[in-house]
Amino acid sequence: MSNGLIVLIIVIAVLLIVAYIAAVLLRKRNDALLAKLEEHKEELYNLPVNDEVEAVKNMHLIGQSQVAFREWNQKWVDLSLNSFADIENNLFETEGHNNSFRFLKAKHGIDKIESQIDLIEEDITAIRNALAELEKQESKNSGRVLHTLELFEKLQVSVANDTEGYGSALPEIEKQLEKIQSEFSHFVT
């Protein structure tokens, strides 16, 4: 064998060893990235959004607040059922690419998963902020309703204590008070 052929075989062997080491390192790096993404996905999924949704659901929401709650609740349901499952599928697919040494596809999958997680994180933040705002708004509205109810009760007592002072208008005032009380009972219950 000539010296040139021996050198060529040694160079090829060294290149193969270097390529193998590089592939193993890339695979380990991608495995670490995928594990980190899986962990981040789990952290997002385990946020107490369900508890916050239930807390707001148990409040007495009406009108625009109720419509807004339904929209945010539906967005959370979509995220928890579809988006997280889609990320899980992409993680599984990307792990397959990485294990079969298809690093370009694995890198593309990792980038896609990162963008999906970023979008979900933004959506979850928006949902939680909206739920907190609905809760704050409902608390404020409840305070106003209680204050108005107290004023109404004082008015009822005032009318009952001074029936002679209202004269012939008393039947109409009592009729209107009953109507207001009926409206309150529909609103408060």
Side-chain angles (χ1 to χ4, degrees):
M1 265 191 158
S2 72
N3 284 340
L5 188 58
I6 293 174
V7 169
L8 180 64
I9 292 173
I10 291 173
V11 168
I12 290 174
V14 169
L15 287 176
L16 287 175
I17 291 170
V18 168
Y20 178 76
I21 291 172
V24 168
L25 291 176
L26 278 172
R27 186 173 168 188
K28 283 187 178 197
R29 181 190 63 112
N30 287 344
D31 281 340
L33 287 172
L34 288 168
K36 185 177 128 194
L37 290 171
E38 174 74 28
E39 185 179 317
H40 194 169
K41 178 197 71 111
E42 289 299 321
E43 286 173 4
L44 290 174
Y45 189 75
N46 291 330
L47 287 173
V49 180
N50 278 333
D51 297 338
E52 293 169 7
V53 166
E54 285 301 315
V56 174
K57 186 187 287 186
N58 292 331
M59 300 175 106
H60 183 70
L61 299 176
I62 59 169
Q64 193 175 14
S65 296
Q66 190 175 35
V67 171
F69 169 74
R70 286 183 183 149
E71 289 173 3
W72 290 112
N73 184 38
Q74 186 60 46
K75 189 160 184 91
W76 170 246
V77 169
D78 290 343
L79 278 177
S80 61
L81 294 179
N82 300 327
S83 298
F84 283 106
D86 191 34
I87 288 174
E88 191 65 38
N89 289 336
N90 287 336
L91 280 166
F92 181 75
E93 185 178 309
T94 302
E95 285 172 355
H97 291 314
N98 192 48
N99 290 337
S100 60
F101 296 99
R102 289 184 265 167
F103 298 122
L104 290 178
K105 285 187 177 184
K107 179 62 176 151
H108 176 71
I110 288 170
D111 292 342
K112 183 178 178 182
I113 294 166
E114 284 175 341
S115 66
Q116 285 178 309
I117 287 177
D118 289 344
L119 287 173
I120 286 177
E121 191 167 20
E122 290 172 12
D123 287 345
I124 288 174
T125 300
I127 290 169
R128 293 182 82 194
N129 288 342
L131 292 173
E133 184 61 34
L134 283 172
E135 197 169 359
K136 180 177 144 188
Q137 192 176 24
E138 177 58 24
S139 175
K140 192 164 111 179
N141 289 344
S142 293
R144 288 178 180 164
V145 168
L146 289 176
H147 177 69
T148 305
L149 193 54
E150 288 172 8
L151 291 175
F152 175 72
E153 288 171 355
K154 287 180 184 176
L155 179 61
Q156 281 182 314
V157 169
S158 173
V159 168
N161 290 340
D162 190 20
T163 55
E164 293 176 10
Y166 294 101
S168 63
L170 183 63
E172 181 61 28
I173 291 172
E174 288 176 339
K175 181 179 164 186
Q176 292 298 324
L177 287 174
E178 286 177 19
K179 186 177 177 182
I180 292 171
Q181 186 171 12
S182 173
E183 291 294 322
F184 262 124
S185 68
H186 288 298
F187 182 72
V188 174
T189 58

